[in-house]
Amino acid sequence: MSTAGKVIKCKAAVAWEPNKPMVIEEIEVAPPQANEVRIKIVATGVCHTDLYHLFEGMHKDGFPAVLGHEGAGIVESVGAGVTEFQPGDKVIPLFISQCRECRFCKSPKTNQCEKGWAADSYDVMALAESRFTCKGKKVLQFMGTSTFSEYTVMNQMAVAKIDPAAPLDKVCLLGCGVCTGYGAAVNTAKVEPGSTCAVFGLGAVGLAAVMGCKAAGAKRIIAVDINPDKFEKAKVFGATEFVNPKDHNKPISEVLAEMTNGGVDFALECVGNVTVMRSALESCIKGWGVSVLVGWTDLHDFAARPIQLIAGRTWKGSLFGGFKSKDGVPEMVKAYLNKKVKLDEFITHNMTLDQVNDAIELMKLILNWDCMFCILKHSDMLRYQLCE
């Protein structure tokens, strides 16, 4: 029996309050309204940003919520005015909109959009309006996506139609982590052929940044992490050298300066730690070095000496790797299908939706809060795949 136009009851992981385990609940998902699509989530990732909201940011107005923002699925039904999508389309939900009408969307200088939750709700990380209810209470839609649910409803400006040949349990990684790291190197830093790069933090975002540096033609890619076990994985994505700050009794910026005759050309911070952000900047060579902030955080101020910028370094930020979402994500899917981008190599674990809290604890243990993610798959069963 068709579910179009009807409320769907389904399973979701609900975060009722901050700093508490999520609860597997039956929620109600309303039909899509004008310009909206309802999506059956087939696979989703667990990213450090989900953990940030639950355990670090803990904004009082951001709960209860269904977390998750790194997914892929199939359109179940569409609302009035939707012409771009139809039931059966394979899609990736987007936590950054692309309305194609605002001044930001029309500018080639940014991937920002004036519409969607990110326009003015970055602290709460959700809009007040939601299509979710549970036990008679409204449940917020995290980052406009909420992919820890079997179904979600989204505005069509925040959905990307992708190649029907794409395996959803792989390309869901392009909903956040891989595009974020890869694009930070290629789009934001604009890594140059023959250059020397340093990537701080070898979680999924950092590994994707390494992959982006290699794709851009970097000659040396120095992977920086306190876990030496991660270097073998980093080599798979293109890292040429590994540095563990714990192995040295001097600042990592001095270590890198000695290794590179004054500093690296490009440094990408993929942890979300303000101390590491400064170290990445200070690791850049004066005159032309570029450092990019990639890891998500909004808890602390960051600082640098003015002379470090006056001397010619550039400090930049990157959100979703600078990709204009509806345009960039389908292209990255094609790149994966054409074997130009790795995805399978990120996946290491499988777990059920009922084990979501176990997956998060495992993630925290393995990653030590690096930017990493899991994959939640849904066919007849939901499962997680944890990226190490």
Side-chain angles (χ1 to χ4, degrees):
M1 183 171 62
S2 175
T3 53
K6 301 176 182 178
V7 172
I8 290 178
K9 293 183 178 181
C10 68
K11 185 186 293 187
V14 179
W16 287 104
E17 55 184 313
N19 207 27
K20 298 287 185 180
M22 289 178 283
V23 181
I24 304 301
E25 304 276 16
E26 182 181 76
I27 68 169
E28 296 80 41
V29 183
Q33 297 186 12
N35 300 312
E36 294 180 342
V37 298
R38 187 160 60 185
I39 303 166
K40 179 179 181 179
I41 297 297
V42 173
T44 185
V46 177
C47 177
H48 175 256
T49 307
D50 302 308
L51 277 67
Y52 167 86
H53 181 74
L54 188 59
F55 299 114
E56 299 175 67
M58 298 191 296
H59 196 289
K60 63 181 180 64
D61 296 326
F63 298 87
V66 175
L67 302 183
H69 63 284
E70 190 174 61
I74 299 171
V75 173
E76 173 269 339
S77 60
V78 302
V82 175
T83 57
E84 182 181 353
F85 304 97
Q86 60 184 8
D89 286 342
K90 285 188 176 182
V91 295
I92 291 180
L94 307 167
F95 69 89
I96 293 182
S97 301
Q98 186 184 353
C99 71
R100 294 197 169 106
E101 297 174 352
C102 72
R103 56 178 174 156
F104 293 102
C105 284
K106 291 180 177 180
S107 172
K109 298 178 181 179
T110 183
N111 65 340
Q112 303 293 298
C113 177
E114 287 188 324
K115 299 179 181 179
W117 75 271
D120 55 12
S121 304
Y122 67 91
D123 51 349
V124 178
M125 303 186 79
L127 291 173
E129 191 174 7
S130 169
R131 302 287 174 258
F132 298 144
T133 55
C134 182
K135 299 178 179 179
K137 297 180 180 180
K138 179 182 69 175
V139 178
L140 296 177
Q141 186 176 28
F142 179 67
M143 296 181 78
T145 55
S146 288
T147 54
F148 290 0
S149 171
E150 292 177 303
Y151 287 86
T152 191
V153 177
M154 301 191 60
N155 191 293
Q156 62 179 337
M157 68 183 176
V159 180
K161 185 190 297 186
I162 61 173
D163 193 311
L168 298 178
D169 61 331
K170 303 297 192 301
V171 299
C172 63
L173 300 183
L174 297 172
C176 179
V178 173
C179 281
T180 294
Y182 187 91
V186 175
N187 299 328
T188 308
K190 300 188 186 305
V191 170
E192 299 169 351
S195 61
T196 297
C197 302
V199 176
F200 290 73
L202 298 179
V205 174
L207 294 175
V210 169
M211 182 168 61
C213 290
K214 180 179 180 181
K219 182 178 181 180
R220 296 178 68 185
I221 305 172
I222 304 170
V224 181
D225 200 288
I226 60 174
N227 183 352
D229 295 337
K230 292 182 177 180
F231 184 47
E232 288 304 312
K233 176 68 77 170
K235 287 199 295 187
V236 171
F237 293 95
T240 59
E241 299 157 73
F242 179 78
V243 177
N244 185 344
K246 289 186 174 182
D247 292 339
H248 303 273
N249 57 7
K250 63 179 69 174
I252 187 64
S253 58
E254 293 183 17
V255 175
L256 292 174
E258 292 173 0
M259 292 174 60
T260 58
N261 189 27
V264 300
D265 301 304
F266 301 94
L268 296 99
E269 187 280 340
C270 300
V271 179
N273 180 294
V274 294
T275 301
V276 180
M277 291 173 184
R278 179 167 182 167
S279 294
L281 175 69
E282 293 174 343
S283 299
C284 288
I285 191 167
K286 65 181 181 181
W288 62 78
V290 175
S291 185
V292 180
L293 280 61
V294 187
W296 178 279
T297 186
D298 193 41
L299 297 179
H300 308 287
D301 293 339
F302 61 93
R305 294 278 185 174
I307 188 61
Q308 292 171 336
L309 298 180
I310 293 171
R313 297 177 182 87
T314 300
W315 216 356
K316 307 175 73 171
S318 182
L319 181 62
F320 196 50
F323 283 106
K324 285 187 179 290
S325 57
K326 288 174 73 72
D327 296 335
V329 167
E331 290 302 314
M332 286 290 283
V333 170
K334 290 180 182 179
Y336 166 70
L337 293 175
N338 292 330
K339 302 186 183 305
K340 295 180 179 179
V341 168
K342 298 179 185 296
L343 292 181
D344 303 50
E345 291 79 0
F346 287 96
I347 301 168
T348 61
H349 292 69
N350 296 286
M351 300 177 74
T352 66
L353 176 62
D354 291 336
Q355 296 174 295
V356 58
N357 292 306
D358 295 331
I360 286 177
E361 290 304 312
L362 180 60
M363 183 178 176
K364 288 160 60 177
L365 177 65
I366 292 176
L367 309 174
N368 195 25
W369 293 98
D370 279 358
C371 294
M372 285 296 297
F373 53 82
C374 312
I375 299 176
L376 161 70
K377 290 182 65 178
H378 168 66
S379 50
D380 295 326
M381 176 184 75
L382 298 173
R383 76 171 186 248
Y384 280 89
Q385 297 175 310
L386 180 64
C387 306
E388 186 172 47

